[in-house]
Amino acid sequence: MLSALILLPLLGAAIVSFLPVGMNAKLSRSVALIFASLAFVWTLVLTSQFDPTVITQQFAEFLPWIDTLGLNYHLGIDGLSLPLLVLNGLLTCIAIHSSDENLRRPRFYYCLILLLSAGVSGAFLAQDLLLFFLFYELELIPLYLLIAIWGGERRGYAATKFLIYTAVSGILILASFLGIVWLSGSPSFALETLNASGLPLATQILLLLGILIGFGIKIPLVPFHTWLPDAHVEASTPISVLLAGVLLKLGTYGLLRFGMYLLPDAWSYLAPVLATWAVVSVLYGASCAIAQTDMKKMVAYSSIGHMGYVLIAAAAATPLSILGTVMQMISHGLISALLFLLVGVVYKKAGSRDLDVLRGLLNPERGMPVIGSLMVLGVMASAGIPGMFGFIAEFVVFRASFAVFPVQTLLCMIGTGLTAVYFLLLTNRAFFGRLSAQVVNLPRVYWSDRAPAIVLAVLIVIFGIQPAWLIHWTEATTTAIANTQSVVAHVSFEKAQGKS
């Protein structure tokens, strides 16, 4: 059942790639959208059959692969991976639907998006460390090509920078995975059989540092963030939607699944450092966002800040805080995807993202009133206004983290105020006031441009009003993960030195 989430996009990619060269680009998009939609519908079918009270992996699939390496094809799904799989399916459909009908080399483009979706799904499903790494690396090349071929003027620089950073990330993660398996004496890379808790704390910390930096590059956290703004600015709108909405979540998912779960003692020991790291990312990302005049770059820096909320909740390692990490990941995925979609529509119709050029786009006669209204809703959600999903996700994160890290949590809460500042600057300068002379005779915005943003906006409001619909599926799993932690317990220096 789970393999279908990987095979359907792969099959779609194969069919799209073998379409006749002279076929209309619309046909390539339609075929890709059909297979992406089938994969998304299948995630909903799995959700309907998923038992949220069971904390072990469900719908498990196991197939021996390479015995000499201890590598097996082992898939499973639980309350941590299920929401992310649904998010991946939804945003893949939206990215394909939002792609330009007249783009060049459409077969290759849609083939890469489907390969990207398959790799992300495989990473969220993998229950084998080496299998996860293979899927984690699989999404690297498609995303590199999607930026390098269909990106902006500096697409080569942005794509190469992304490739180098992500390659270093993969090296660190693989080294830590190999260290965990070899030092723990495990005969395979199966997640369920690994037990690194018996290792000396100093060894655990060293292994965890590799995981933290490796996934910290992917999230990204300061100071490993510099590839993200460049990638977002040069990537096309659909690719920015996937990058911010789903791909960054591979980093936070990896921290929870492999860092916290496999090395709980080291995680508890380094928790205060992680909380402080989160504060730096939140405040730095928000401060940089305030200084931007490019709308897309502003949203990109906001992602850096908001992903820091996930880290401070994970550092607290309580049942409520880990639940908050999942809520914040899904919230950020929906809100950032909405904002990038809307910025893309503005750029497509107005020809600029510069806040020094744009004015009055909410003008009901000659502007983009629907897009402007959706943008106001999106920035309100990102700033944590009550009634939106962003508010309840951040509230859970702060409520849970404050009991463990009160000072760091209060500093992170400053980030929500700064979010309101830079998004108020964005909406006030671009959408309010008199329509600027540089932006006249705007092309018509069709409902096909508005529909994906409206879907995301509706979901943001629904989950803001009724978050229990998400909590229901993930709470049992996040509580079980938290039970592996000592809740930032004091670890003696004797244990750190490997003494009894």
Side-chain angles (χ1 to χ4, degrees), residues 237-260:
T237 296
I239 307 310
S240 286
V241 168
L242 291 176
L243 178 57
V246 180
L247 293 172
L248 302 187
K249 310 306 177 291
L250 284 173
T252 48
Y253 172 83
L255 287 183
L256 294 175
R257 180 71 77 193
F258 306 110
M260 178 185 294

Side-chain angles (χ1 to χ4, degrees), residues 196-235:
S197 59
L199 297 176
L201 183 60
T203 303
Q204 289 191 41
I205 291 174
L206 182 62
L207 295 171
L208 182 58
L209 285 176
I211 291 176
L212 288 173
I213 297 175
F215 287 120
I217 293 172
K218 191 71 172 182
I219 292 174
L221 299 170
V222 177
F224 310 114
H225 66 286
T226 58
W227 65 268
L228 184 67
D230 292 321
H232 271 307
V233 169
E234 301 305 324

Side-chain angles (χ1 to χ4, degrees), residues 61-399:
E61 298 180 10
F62 182 85
L63 182 67
W65 191 359
I66 307 176
D67 291 335
T68 54
L69 293 179
L71 172 62
N72 299 299
Y73 180 78
H74 187 188
L75 306 180
I77 190 172
D78 63 4
L80 176 60
S81 53
L82 178 63
L84 295 170
L85 285 166
V86 176
L87 181 66
N88 178 46
L90 173 64
L91 295 187
T92 300
C93 293
I94 287 177
I96 293 174
H97 174 83
S98 303
S99 298
D100 189 351
E101 294 181 355
N102 301 315
L103 55 80
R104 55 196 173 93
R105 304 174 70 181
R107 295 183 306 154
F108 191 32
Y109 174 85
Y110 293 114
C111 179
L112 290 174
I113 287 186
L114 290 171
L115 288 174
L116 186 64
S117 177
V120 172
S121 293
F124 287 141
L125 292 170
Q127 298 304 308
D128 184 286
L129 267 63
L130 195 53
L131 184 65
F132 169 86
F133 176 77
L134 293 176
F135 282 119
Y136 183 83
E137 292 295 294
L138 175 63
E139 52 84 21
L140 170 61
I141 299 303
L143 187 57
Y144 165 78
L145 293 173
L146 286 165
I147 298 174
I149 298 175
W150 291 276
E153 293 182 359
R154 301 177 70 245
R155 57 185 179 272
Y157 167 78
T160 302
K161 193 173 184 179
F162 161 77
L163 183 66
I164 293 173
Y165 270 79
T166 310
V168 173
S169 167
I171 291 171
L172 293 172
I173 292 169
L174 179 61
S176 294
F177 283 177
L178 293 175
I180 290 172
V181 173
W182 290 341
L183 294 176
S184 64
S186 175
S188 72
F189 287 86
L191 185 61
E192 62 184 3
T193 62
L194 287 174
N195 182 11
S197 59
L199 297 176
L201 183 60
T203 303
Q204 289 191 41
I205 291 174
L206 182 62
L207 295 171
L208 182 58
L209 285 176
I211 291 176
L212 288 173
I213 297 175
F215 287 120
I217 293 172
K218 191 71 172 182
I219 292 174
L221 299 170
V222 177
F224 310 114
H225 66 286
T226 58
W227 65 268
L228 184 67
D230 292 321
H232 271 307
V233 169
E234 301 305 324
S236 62
T237 296
I239 307 310
S240 286
V241 168
L242 291 176
L243 178 57
V246 180
L247 293 172
L248 302 187
K249 310 306 177 291
L250 284 173
T252 48
Y253 172 83
L255 287 183
L256 294 175
R257 180 71 77 193
F258 306 110
M260 178 185 294
Y261 180 77
L262 293 177
L263 302 164
D265 290 340
W267 187 274
S268 297
Y269 189 81
L270 293 179
V273 177
L274 300 181
T276 305
W277 194 3
V279 172
V280 173
S281 288
V282 169
L283 297 181
Y284 181 85
S287 300
C288 288
I290 292 175
Q292 305 306 314
T293 58
D294 185 315
M295 295 173 66
K296 199 172 188 183
K297 207 164 190 177
M298 182 181 289
V299 177
Y301 274 110
S302 77
S303 289
I304 297 172
H306 282 81
M307 294 304 285
Y309 298 147
V310 179
L311 182 60
I312 191 170
T318 66
L320 184 60
S321 72
I322 298 178
L323 178 62
T325 64
V326 178
M327 296 179 67
Q328 179 64 20
M329 283 191 282
I330 304 302
S331 167
H332 177 266
L334 295 175
I335 295 171
S336 63
L338 172 62
L339 294 175
F340 277 116
L341 275 176
L342 297 173
V343 171
V345 174
V346 170
Y347 183 64
K348 179 180 178 181
K349 302 300 180 181
S352 176
R353 299 188 302 256
D354 193 341
L355 294 177
D356 293 330
V357 174
L358 301 173
R359 288 287 189 281
L361 294 180
L362 263 174
N363 187 298
E365 296 181 0
R366 296 185 297 147
M368 295 183 283
V370 175
I371 297 300
S373 300
L374 290 170
M375 178 64 81
V376 171
L377 184 146
V379 300
M380 288 171 62
S382 186
I385 299 300
M388 307 290 179
F389 194 17
F391 166 77
I392 191 62
E394 291 177 13
F395 177 81
V396 172
V397 166
F398 295 148
R399 172 65 181 84

